[in-house]
Amino acid sequence: MSTFYITTPIYYVNDIPHIGHAYTTIMADAITRFRQAEGHQTYFLTGTDEHGQKIEKSAEAQGITPKILADRVVERFKDLWRVLDIRYDRFIRTTDADHVAGVQHLFRKVLEKGDIYPGDYRGHYCVSCEGYVPETAPEAASGNKICADCGKETELLTERCYFFRLSAYEERLLCFYKDNPDFIRPASRMNEVVSFVKMGLKDLSITRSTVKWGVPVPDDPEQTIYVWFDALSNYITALGYPDATADFARFWPADLHVMAKDILRFHAVYWPAFLMAADLELPRKELIHGWWLKDEKKMSKSRGNVLDPHILLKYFPADAIRYFLMREAPIGADANFSHQGFITRINTELTNDWANLISRVGGMVSRYFSNRFPGQADYSAAEEELREDYLELENEVRSHFDAYAFNRGLERIMEYVNRLNRYIVESEPWKMAGQETLQPRLEAVLKTLVRAILSANALLAPVIPRSAARVREFFNHAGEGFGWKDPGEKFAVRDVEPLFPRVDPKQFFAEELQDSHPSPSPKEAQMNEKPQTPEGVISFDEFKKVRMVVARVVAAEKVEKTDKLLRLTVDTDSDTRTLVAGIAQYYTPEELVDRKIIIVANLQPATIRGIESRGMILAASDKDGRPYIPVIPEETPVGAIMR
RNA sequence: GGCGGUGUAGCUCAGCCGGUAGAGCAGUCGGCUCAUAUCCGAUAUGUCGGGGGUUCAAGUCCCUCCACCGCUACCA
């Protein structure tokens, strides 16, 4: 029997589960169920990443141990997976003893091989946050980086740690990508990976002495193993690595790692390199999906636009959420989540088309045959056509699902559902009902509909398993595999109950979005007929958000190795700040010094050419992009606000 | 700047190896009554981002420009 090993990332317990976690996990679950229906023996792994400084600190803040903190969050994940009908084989935690042992073994093995070596890590360390900031962080005038969390300057720190010899794997990785062009799906992501590796790989520091909450380095208890070496290893330790367990032999290498695009590099570059270093086989494929956006923006805790699946679960069954997420988003692209879109999709496709089809067919079988077919059906070409259409549908849907294009597959299934609804209207069974001679025809029509429903139901089952099981119950059919369903000529059915009760959009928006979602998207606001400023017009309040002040240029210099950039130091009265402007081709530093200009003072800082630019200079721009800096009357005080 | 992607009906998107535009939703009109006020049919709207080129024929190939997005070591 062929096997299929699939994983989600392990989720960081610093965050409580949200729709993004749900998306990845539902996708993996649907794929698992699909592979099962195809006859594969599957192993589905998910879990949590529990180590690291953030956990250490937030546990400290709550006055509990990191493990207790993790235990609590883990329960929330498991609860959500239970509610969403996620059927995993193992929920691994990086604090599991076998994982810890496995990571240590892996570390030791690569160390002995020589691809892990001790060295010094130099980084920009934030004392108050007790952590390193990334190289991409903005830089202060002193040359030190600025910590994104607290805004304080960092200091350059050197600490002893272990490095992984990632640089040695550049060629081998590129070869691997070349030989396995399908390794990363969708293909566009593969290009990103290849170009990243081609730019050159630096060795990776994989341990920390500043972090205590982690897997200790074997024989060097001062050090703990840092995030990625620890976390990625879960995919093999879950199967029993380093022991030659039956699971490991049967399921490794993984057939599919599913993840969101933000952790692509770690899975597509670091992970294969680690495995090569350990002489292990590489995963076969990695499926990268996009993000769910809210109001066109990435959901984030700080933005407060995170979508909690529990709100939807109050109104809709888990299958509705599963269906929507799989149906709505194209394979690798970001998708926008809107409640309006959600309700419309569920009400039209699942309620009106699919559930109502089942309801009307079930109703007729009950009324006209008392739920039991006599077995005297008189079939015509129309019924045979329905069967043939189904077989064609199944081929297409399976190949879509095989390519993980669930949106396409589900779309095709709905076409078939529409086809069935049309068939009912065309055959007009209610007109046959009263006529004795047409009973065999009526039986043929309804039976064929039940068969078609059961068949389509099997295709839907990986995505909406719970309602699929109910449909099987309604029609007394146990088989979960694919194919044209034939329960026999004399089969009996049960009474059918509503599958996806209609949710009234008005009620949903009135009750739910008011309390739980203080800022509905513009579209939804319009649905609620709230007043809106006309397109292209901003309100006075919106205008007031922009803080423009008069500033005096204290110093100006060209940014080295650029043609267009000037680095300006300006005095705004309340502070002195640096900003970068792309005006060097038209203005010399000399003519700007001491001049008064207008700057946007509350613009989000950006790092340009390694310089943090806090604000932007206001200038008119002609169609060629040439800037014209307005002249400010000499007597204007520095710090004056424009309005 | 480099590499990649996207730009098609009001909205969300299909359109493979080129043959004079499609679906769903929303809108309008009509039909049915078995069904969760559900279903079925018909129907308006598009210079397929702009410009140029190849071709008998181009959303579909080539060039170029614009906008937006992703990765990345630079024009806020």
Side-chain angles (χ1 to χ4, degrees):
Chain A
M1 189 193 238
S2 59
T3 61
F4 195 85
Y5 177 33
I6 181 170
T7 71
T8 73
I10 47 176
Y11 304 114
Y12 202 43
V13 293
N14 196 37
D15 207 358
I16 59 170
H18 55 68
I19 204 88
H21 301 119
Y23 182 44
T24 312
T25 309
I26 288 169
M27 187 180 296
D29 186 70
I31 292 169
T32 304
R33 291 172 189 266
F34 172 64
R35 293 301 183 204
Q36 282 168 1
E38 284 187 321
H40 292 80
Q41 184 186 7
T42 61
Y43 193 101
F44 173 14
L45 175 70
T46 188
T48 43
D49 177 13
E50 307 182 5
H51 289 131
Q53 200 155 31
K54 276 191 185 155
I55 306 305
E56 211 168 31
K57 295 191 67 154
S58 63
E60 195 187 357
Q62 294 176 47
I64 52 177
T65 67
K67 183 60 165 51
I68 289 174
L69 171 78
D71 288 347
R72 288 181 189 169
V73 180
V74 161
E75 281 315 304
R76 304 191 62 158
F77 275 100
K78 287 185 171 174
D79 281 344
L80 183 60
W81 299 159
R82 204 172 297 128
V83 174
L84 290 175
D85 288 311
I86 305 299
R87 219 162 46 184
Y88 50 78
D89 291 283
R90 175 167 178 185
F91 188 104
I92 191 172
R93 305 177 52 174
T94 51
T95 48
D96 286 343
D98 62 340
H99 172 75
V100 171
V103 171
Q104 286 177 322
H105 180 96
L106 184 69
F107 187 95
R108 199 188 301 265
K109 169 150 191 184
V110 179
L111 181 78
E112 279 163 9
K113 195 183 164 188
D115 280 337
I116 289 177
Y117 61 92
D120 291 320
Y121 178 77
R122 272 164 66 83
H124 303 274
Y125 190 79
C126 175
V127 178
S128 72
C129 296
E130 296 175 29
Y132 289 96
V133 304
E135 281 299 320
T136 51
E139 212 166 80
S142 59
N144 288 327
K145 302 279 181 190
I146 292 174
C147 175
D149 290 336
C150 65
K152 290 178 188 156
E153 276 194 30
T154 60
E155 52 188 71
L156 203 56
L157 203 76
T158 302
E159 80 172 274
R160 196 173 61 81
C161 73
Y162 290 86
F163 281 90
F164 173 72
R165 208 179 297 281
L166 184 63
S167 58
Y169 288 88
E170 207 172 305
E171 281 310 312
R172 286 180 65 185
L173 284 168
L174 289 171
C175 274
F176 172 71
Y177 302 143
K178 204 174 172 188
D179 294 343
N180 299 278
D182 288 343
F183 176 54
I184 305 295
R185 294 277 97 180
S188 56
R189 295 288 167 198
M190 182 56 122
N191 300 329
E192 290 182 14
V193 171
V194 170
S195 62
F196 177 80
V197 174
K198 278 186 175 162
M199 284 189 313
L201 294 174
K202 286 191 292 187
D203 288 353
L204 207 64
S205 96
I206 53 165
T207 71
R208 283 296 131 87
S209 63
T210 47
V211 182
K212 290 291 156 245
W213 178 235
V215 177
V217 169
D219 307 321
D220 193 346
E222 288 298 298
Q223 298 273 334
T224 56
I225 294 172
Y226 196 51
V227 52
W228 289 107
F229 199 87
D230 174 8
L232 289 164
S233 309
N234 91 87
Y235 300 135
I236 52 174
T237 59
L239 297 177
Y241 179 88
D243 302 327
T245 59
D247 276 346
F248 193 83
R250 192 177 300 133
F251 291 110
W252 191 258
D255 294 275
L256 192 67
H257 292 315
V258 184
M259 79 207 72
K261 61 186 183 180
D262 49 346
I263 51 174
L264 167 62
R265 182 191 306 170
F266 308 104
H267 283 78
V269 182
Y270 301 171
W271 179 228
F274 293 163
L275 290 168
M276 285 173 178
D279 298 317
L280 290 168
E281 280 188 84
L282 271 46
R284 297 215 162 86
K285 194 170 284 202
E286 299 186 348
L287 179 63
I288 320 300
H289 66 249
W291 287 327
W292 279 98
L293 311 177
K294 188 88 190 76
D295 307 335
E296 310 285 333
K297 293 194 198 80
K298 185 182 192 306
M299 292 185 205
S300 71
K301 269 199 290 192
S302 56
R303 223 178 247 124
N305 62 346
V306 176
L307 195 77
D308 181 353
H310 292 97
I311 295 171
L312 293 170
L313 285 165
K314 276 170 66 180
Y315 288 81
F316 296 91
D319 278 355
I321 296 175
R322 293 175 59 108
Y323 181 82
F324 178 80
L325 295 178
M326 294 299 101
R327 170 72 177 89
E328 187 80 0
I331 313 163
D334 291 350
N336 223 335
F337 189 99
S338 93
H339 289 87
Q340 186 60 50
F342 183 88
I343 288 214
T344 302
R345 180 73 76 189
I346 298 308
N347 275 348
T348 57
E349 295 183 5
L350 286 185
T351 303
N352 294 351
D353 294 344
W354 175 239
N356 182 54
L357 168 71
I358 291 160
S359 181
R360 65 199 303 207
V361 170
M364 286 190 278
V365 176
S366 161
R367 182 170 306 107
Y368 304 149
F369 291 101
S370 303
N371 286 345
R372 181 171 296 278
F373 289 108
Q376 289 156 358
D378 171 23
Y379 294 100
S380 75
E383 288 77 49
E384 173 58 17
E385 216 174 279
L386 235 42
R387 190 183 72 92
E388 282 165 9
D389 285 356
Y390 170 77
L391 295 175
E392 198 183 323
L393 169 80
E394 184 184 305
N395 271 335
E396 286 180 36
V397 170
R398 288 177 66 167
S399 82
H400 280 134
F401 283 7
D402 197 57
Y404 308 124
F406 282 98
N407 59 328
R408 295 291 189 80
L410 293 172
E411 185 182 20
R412 275 294 283 119
I413 297 171
M414 280 307 136
E415 276 177 36
Y416 188 69
V417 170
N418 293 337
R419 164 98 171 77
L420 297 178
N421 276 318
R422 201 180 317 129
Y423 169 75
I424 295 178
V425 172
E426 284 162 1
S427 356
E428 301 182 306
W430 50 90
K431 286 191 179 164
M432 298 185 220
Q435 305 181 47
E436 198 62 35
T437 54
L438 290 177
Q439 286 304 291
R441 279 297 302 140
L442 179 59
E443 183 179 343
V445 168
L446 291 179
K447 246 183 201 167
T448 306
L449 280 166
V450 173
R451 286 180 182 142
I453 286 169
L454 282 169
S455 306
N457 188 53
L459 292 174
L460 286 168
V463 177
I464 49 173
R466 195 182 307 185
S467 60
R470 289 185 65 202
V471 171
R472 289 195 300 270
E473 279 173 34
F474 294 158
F475 297 118
N476 266 326
H477 194 266
E480 292 186 42
F482 298 133
W484 179 250
K485 303 289 187 181
D486 191 354
E489 282 302 310
K490 292 195 173 184
F491 61 94
V493 309
R494 299 179 191 165
D495 279 335
V496 164
E497 294 154 35
L499 254 197
F500 289 97
R502 164 172 308 278
V503 172
D504 179 12
K506 276 190 201 131
Q507 194 191 346
F508 179 78
F509 285 118
E511 284 181 19
E512 204 46 46
L513 289 183
Q514 298 308 325
D515 347 315
S516 59
H517 242 269
S519 58
S521 74
K523 224 186 268 175
E524 284 158 8
Q526 270 172 12
M527 303 300 291
N528 292 340
E529 292 177 45
K530 285 189 183 135
Q532 280 280 300
T533 47
E535 192 83 14
V537 175
I538 61 170
S539 70
F540 183 62
D541 281 346
E542 283 172 287
F543 168 73
K544 278 198 303 188
K545 286 182 190 162
V546 183
R547 200 156 61 80
M548 291 178 283
V549 303
V550 173
R552 189 177 63 85
V553 179
V554 180
E557 56 180 335
K558 283 200 71 169
V559 177
E560 290 215 358
K561 292 189 219 157
T562 66
D563 302 329
K564 304 181 187 172
L565 294 186
L566 284 185
R567 171 197 188 126
L568 304 177
T569 306
V570 301
D571 173 18
T572 69
D573 194 41
S574 47
D575 64 2
T576 301
R577 59 172 81 194
T578 299
L579 47 93
V580 177
I583 55 174
Q585 289 174 318
Y586 304 97
Y587 289 93
T588 63
E590 294 73 35
E591 64 181 306
L592 285 174
V593 170
D594 231 26
R595 191 169 159 175
K596 283 176 181 166
I597 58 172
I598 303 168
I599 68 164
V600 177
N602 59 344
L603 197 61
Q604 183 181 14
T607 302
I608 299 149
R609 201 58 171 177
I611 302 165
E612 191 197 31
S613 179
R614 294 176 52 221
M616 72 182 274
I617 180 168
L618 235 51
S621 178
D622 66 15
K623 62 182 191 307
D624 299 322
R626 175 185 175 146
Y628 301 88
I629 300 175
V631 176
I632 311 296
E634 197 38 53
E635 61 274 24
T636 316
V638 166
I641 293 171
M642 301 289 300
R643 56 180 187 173

